[in-house]
Each structure stands twice: as C-alpha cells, then as structure tokens.
Amino acid sequence: MPSWMKMIKELTIRPKGERKIRKSPSYSFDEDLKNPLSGKKVKEILSKSSDVVFREFSLQGKERIPCMVVAVDGLVDKNLLDQFILKPLMVDLPGHPELAQVKLSNVVDITIQSLLPGLEIKKISKMGDAVDAILSGDSVIFFGDLTEAIVIGARGWANRGVTEPITESIVKGPREGFSETLRINTSLLRRKIKHPSLRIISLKLGDMTNTDLVVTYIEKIASPDIVSEVFRRLSKIKMDGMLGNGYIEEMIEDNPYSPFPQISFTERPDVLAGKLLEGKVGIIVDGTPIVLVVPAVLTQFLNVNEDYYQRAMVAILSRFVRYVGAFVAFVAPSVYIAVTTFHQEIIPTDLLLSISAGRQGVPFPALLEALTMTVVLEILQEAGLRLPKPIGSTIGIVGALVIGDAAVKASLVSPLMVIIIGLTAVASYAIPTFDLSLAVRLIRFPLMILAGILGFFGVTVGLYVILIHLLGLRSFGVPYTSPIAPLRIRALLQDTFVRAPWWALKRRPQLIDVEEPRSGGKGKTK
C-alpha cells in the first residue's frame, strides 16, 4: 500500500466503539522553529509536502562538506537556481583559489563572499527564518550539521502583468495598475516617487499564511502619530489566515459598525502616490491588487483621479455632477414616498393629477411599492456582478426593462415609481467609490421607512442622525468630515468641492495634519 494511502487510513479509521473522531497526533511547529538551525530538521518538517524539493550534493574543499539546497517547486525560478546556485557550487568550483580554504567552520562566509554570484544573499541562524524563506519562494543552502545557512533570493512564479485597473478606468492618465505581486507593486510606486523619504516597511501577518505586506509613507510629510498608530493596530492583529486586505480593513478601522467606509482603497500607483504626497499611509498586501490608504475622509470618496488630469473647470463640473448624483441616490426614493404619502399639497395640481392617474389600480402604498422595487434593483445588481461579464450586463438591462414594464402593465407599481427607482440607480453609479455606493444603498432603506411612517419629519430625523454619526466618526484620529468639520477654508477651496488650478496650489491642501505643508506650486508661468 502506498505511503499516502497508509497516512489517510491512519487518520480516518477509528477503533471500535469510539464515538468521536480521533485527532491526528499534533505536531508543534512553533516549538521546532525555536530550535537551533538544522538541515535535517527542516527536511523532516517539509518532507511531507510533495512540492518541496531537496537537492543534496557535496562541496569538496579543505574538508568534504555535505550540502543541501531546499526550494519549493513553483515558487522558485528553476533556471536561476540551476545557473547561479547549483552550477557554480557543483561545476565551476574546481580550481577556484578560495576552495582550498573552505571548511565547515568558514564555508558560509566564504560562499557568500567569493563563491556564489547573486544580489540577494544573506546568512541566517534561526529555524523559523529558514522555513519562512523556503515557503516564501527563496532557496536555502544547508551545510552539514552547521547551525547557519544561506538564503538566496531566487523567487519566480507565474503572475499577472501590469494591466489597466477595471474599477478605476480613466480617459486621460496612465493605464497601469497594481497586480497581485508585492514587489511589482512597490516598484510601480517607487517609479512615481523617486525620493529617499519614501519609506517601504515590510511586515508579516497571519500565523499560518505568513502574508507579506508593506506599510508605505513619506517620512517628511506623513504625521508620525498616524504612522505609529498604523503600526500599532497592525501589530495587534492575531489571526491564523490573512488572505487579503479585507481582513486588515475590518481589524484596523475605528468604527466597525458604521456603514461608511473609513479606509479608502485604490488599484492605481498614481493615486497612491498622490495620497502619500497628502500625508497619508498606504498598506500593500501581497496577493491582492487593492492597496489600503489611511486615514480617509468622506469628501475624498467622491473625488476621482481623473480630476487631477483634467483642467480645473472641467474637474469642478465633474465633481458637482457627482455630488448631485450622490444626493439624488441618497434621498430620491424617501422624498417621493414622503411627498406622495403625507405632503401632496406641495405638488402642483397638474403633476398631482398625473401621479394619481398613474397610481390608479396599484394595490400597495408608496412605501411598500418603493421597497419592493429597490429590493428588485438590488437583486438585479447582485446578479449582474456575479454572472459572467457578457451575460451579467445583458441580464441587468433586459431584467430591468422586462420586470419594470411587466410590473407597470400589471398595475403592481406606478410608472413614476419606476422612473424614481431608475433615476436612483443611475445616480448611484455616479458615486465613484464602490464602498461609499454600498453605504448609500444600505442607508436608503431606513430612510424610506422613516419617510413612509413620518413623512418629511422622518426624513429630517434620519438625516440628522446620519449627520451626527458622521461628525463623531474618526479615521485614525482624523475627523471623518474634515475639512468641513472642523472647518479648513484652504482645503475647501483647493481640493474638496472644487479643484484649484495647479498654478494656484502654493501649499498642500491640508485635509489632514501633515508634517510638511509646503507643496510645489510656484504660480503661473505666464
């Protein structure tokens, strides 16, 4: 019987009369990782994984030294491993002047200094460092029973290239976006900010996944209090698995029960560079093209990166349209319910007669009518997202037309209600940030219920509650409603509701507190 079948049999077959599943013998990796470095122990730990490769050979110097190279198939560049590690040590060394001096006590230092080419080579002496390096895609060379080893950077796995991000497409501007590979992302950022003050600090999270991530900021601009708070919150995360930035976002946000996003994200290197120049901090997680940016304020979720590639007047108009769209998506169904249910006297007579004629035969009140249509809209949007792209867009359009037309003909909803819900859906698409759009869609339901129960008074109460909640929100200590409350006139006039021309930006728009408020604007050149 093959060994793998025996292992499965041992783990699954229970003795007679045993009610509970017997646990497999526990293996304390944490205890082993604290032991002195040993190639034999590393082989014992990793030999049960078929993708871990062990290549043993001998190095003949002043002494004969047994060597072992360990790497993970699929994570390492095999050509690099063969040409720059195995070939120099096994083929090119005979006749090397340093080889005669090599013995077990000095083999690590001489190998690093004279025998192996390569940029990323370092010496390690801990078991945990060796296992982590191997499972991260590096190659590790062990020398006999020596408690030191060499880590060589030879990573090379399949990855998606630099492509245009789907969620942040623009007309004017660069077409490159982040990918799932951490070092590609940091290199894209480094191309944008070529200054020694740019800090890229590496961390690992997840006891089982050991996910790599970096915290990036500009030292002369970012507030030290915000930077230290980011590291403090990240250091408190204790989880077995860290598979994406969504895990981190929920763990470090200030108010987890708020529907409003308190951490922004981007897929574009130019957007991240712009945020860092404003004094913010980026969190790049390996395995995802989404980069988290903290702190976040409400107004930034209605701004897009193309505002900074267009002329100022065009950007101001675009922002005005987005703010109007967000307001319509937020309150349009509630206002319609309140007006048609409680405040018909404010509607002009001709319009009131038209609305009444459209509602003839509709058996449901306006509140139930609006809630039903909104739920149907949410179902169509969710179906369009989850289906394959060619089918999803067709389902969304055809489903909305067929269901809306059939509902009107069957007198289940009024024609004006279909118009209001359709206008609300289109207006919500004007919100450029997906997280804020989700928050608006979520809050829309309690506002409609308040409008159906109390009319405009209920809508006003709901808006006041939301305003009080927003005023109390903080993102890493920064007021969420900045620069409106607390009021910062310069930021309002430079980069909030309007976007000032670049030649007028003589100081950095202070949406948050920064160390260096100076920007690069020198005034008009003509």
Side-chain angles (χ1 to χ4, degrees):
M1 182 182 295
S3 59
W4 63 270
M5 293 185 67
K6 291 180 180 178
M7 186 183 302
I8 293 176
K9 186 176 180 180
E10 289 176 1
L11 295 176
T12 55
I13 296 180
R14 301 178 304 193
K16 272 188 175 181
E18 188 174 354
R19 296 284 182 179
K20 296 182 180 179
I21 297 176
R22 184 176 58 185
K23 293 183 179 180
S24 59
S26 60
Y27 193 83
S28 179
F29 289 101
D30 293 339
E31 292 298 324
D32 286 336
L33 296 181
K34 296 176 183 178
N35 295 332
L37 184 62
S38 168
K40 293 180 180 179
K41 195 64 179 179
V42 169
K43 187 173 183 179
E44 179 184 342
I45 293 174
L46 300 178
S47 61
K48 294 183 180 180
S49 299
S50 60
D51 60 336
V52 182
V53 180
F54 303 89
R55 178 66 167 91
E56 299 183 9
F57 60 96
S58 295
L59 184 63
Q60 185 62 52
K62 194 173 182 178
E63 301 174 357
R64 183 179 177 278
I65 305 171
C67 306
M68 181 174 64
V69 177
V70 185
V72 177
D73 186 17
L75 296 183
V76 70
D77 187 333
K78 292 183 179 179
N79 182 60
L80 189 64
L81 185 63
D82 293 340
Q83 296 298 320
F84 296 97
I85 300 178
L86 295 178
K87 186 173 180 290
L89 293 177
M90 300 175 66
V91 179
D92 299 339
L93 277 184
H96 196 285
E98 296 283 347
L99 189 58
Q101 306 298 324
V102 173
K103 53 185 180 179
L104 189 61
S105 60
N106 61 10
V107 63
V108 172
D109 294 329
I110 293 180
T111 302
I112 293 175
Q113 295 170 8
S114 306
L115 302 184
L116 278 183
L119 180 63
E120 298 182 25
I121 301 178
K122 66 178 181 179
K123 178 170 63 175
I124 58 173
S125 58
K126 295 181 179 179
M127 182 74 73
D129 294 340
V131 173
D132 181 64
I134 294 168
L135 298 180
S136 297
D138 293 323
S139 301
V140 178
I141 306 177
F142 298 94
F143 301 92
D145 296 328
L146 198 64
T147 57
E148 291 181 341
I150 298 176
V151 176
I152 302 176
R155 301 184 184 187
W157 52 75
N159 58 75
R160 182 172 64 93
V162 179
T163 58
E164 183 178 2
I166 299 176
T167 59
E168 295 177 271
S169 59
I170 62 172
V171 178
K172 290 177 66 177
R175 296 289 190 270
E176 59 186 8
F178 290 122
S179 70
E180 285 76 15
T181 306
L182 182 63
R183 282 306 165 204
I184 292 179
N185 296 342
T186 56
S187 66
L188 291 173
L189 176 62
R190 182 66 75 175
R191 286 179 56 198
K192 298 294 181 183
I193 304 178
K194 307 178 185 71
H195 197 279
S197 294
L198 176 63
R199 297 287 179 260
I200 298 178
I201 312 298
S202 297
L203 300 172
K204 285 184 179 291
L205 289 180
D207 295 336
M208 299 294 292
T209 58
N210 275 327
T211 304
D212 294 304
L213 71 151
V214 299
V215 177
T216 178
Y217 60 95
I218 300 178
E219 188 174 33
K220 293 183 178 180
I221 299 176
S223 169
D225 293 336
I226 294 177
V227 174
S228 62
E229 181 65 15
V230 171
F231 282 106
R232 187 189 69 82
R233 296 190 188 187
L234 289 175
S235 65
K236 288 191 172 184
I237 297 178
K238 304 296 180 184
M239 299 179 69
D240 286 342
M242 184 63 64
L243 302 179
N245 51 26
Y247 294 70
I248 298 177
E249 183 178 1
E250 288 195 39
M251 296 292 286
I252 66 175
E253 63 183 355
D254 289 64
N255 189 341
Y257 301 106
S258 174
F260 292 95
Q262 299 150 60
I263 298 174
S264 63
F265 68 88
T266 182
E267 289 187 68
R268 302 184 62 91
D270 56 329
V271 174
L272 177 59
K275 299 298 183 184
L276 298 185
L277 290 170
E278 293 177 359
K280 297 182 180 180
V281 180
I283 302 173
I284 309 176
V285 183
D286 188 29
T288 175
I290 306 297
V291 176
L292 302 178
V293 183
V294 297
V297 295
L298 179 62
T299 55
Q300 78 177 59
F301 291 103
L302 291 169
N303 300 338
V304 297
N305 54 322
E306 196 163 5
D307 291 344
Y308 305 98
Y309 295 113
Q310 300 283 1
R311 296 175 66 245
M313 297 304 296
V314 177
I316 292 172
L317 176 61
S318 299
R319 286 190 180 184
F320 175 77
V321 170
R322 288 195 292 272
Y323 276 92
V324 171
F327 182 76
V328 170
F330 198 57
V331 301
S334 306
V335 170
Y336 174 80
I337 294 171
V339 168
T340 55
T341 306
F342 293 97
H343 310 286
Q344 299 91 344
E345 66 277 2
I346 67 174
I347 306 176
T349 303
D350 295 339
L351 179 59
L352 182 61
L353 293 175
S354 176
I355 294 174
S356 300
R359 287 191 54 80
Q360 284 184 356
V362 176
F364 307 113
L367 174 60
L368 185 58
E369 189 182 3
L371 287 175
T372 303
M373 290 301 295
T374 304
V375 170
V376 170
L377 175 64
E378 294 295 329
I379 293 173
L380 289 173
Q381 287 180 335
E382 190 67 19
L385 284 175
R386 306 306 164 203
L387 287 172
K389 192 173 181 180
I391 304 175
S393 57
T394 304
I395 289 294
I397 297 172
V398 174
L401 291 175
V402 171
I403 293 176
D405 183 64
V408 171
K409 288 183 177 180
S411 297
L412 296 177
V413 295
S414 63
L416 186 57
M417 177 59 72
V418 176
I419 295 174
I420 294 295
I421 298 301
L423 177 63
T424 301
V426 172
S428 65
Y429 297 145
I431 302 175
T433 308
F434 183 68
D435 285 350
L436 183 61
S437 177
L438 289 177
V440 170
R441 288 159 58 182
L442 180 62
I443 297 174
R444 193 186 296 152
F445 286 96
L447 273 183
M448 287 192 294
I449 294 174
L450 287 173
I453 297 174
L454 300 173
F456 273 140
F457 178 74
V459 175
T460 304
V461 170
L463 293 177
Y464 268 113
V465 171
I466 295 169
L467 180 60
I468 293 171
H469 173 69
L470 290 175
L471 290 172
L473 273 183
R474 295 288 186 275
S475 177
F476 285 79
V478 175
Y480 194 63
T481 52
S482 176
I484 303 172
L487 183 62
R488 296 182 177 183
I489 300 296
R490 181 184 293 113
L492 280 175
L493 298 179
Q494 287 183 336
D495 195 20
T496 303
F497 300 113
V498 299
R499 202 272 285 174
W502 285 116
W503 50 263
L505 294 176
K506 297 181 180 180
R507 293 176 65 85
R508 184 173 288 107
Q510 291 188 353
L511 298 177
I512 62 175
D513 293 327
V514 295
E515 284 293 287
E516 176 56 67
R518 179 175 55 83
S519 183
K522 299 294 184 181
K524 288 191 69 176
T525 57
K526 289 187 178 179

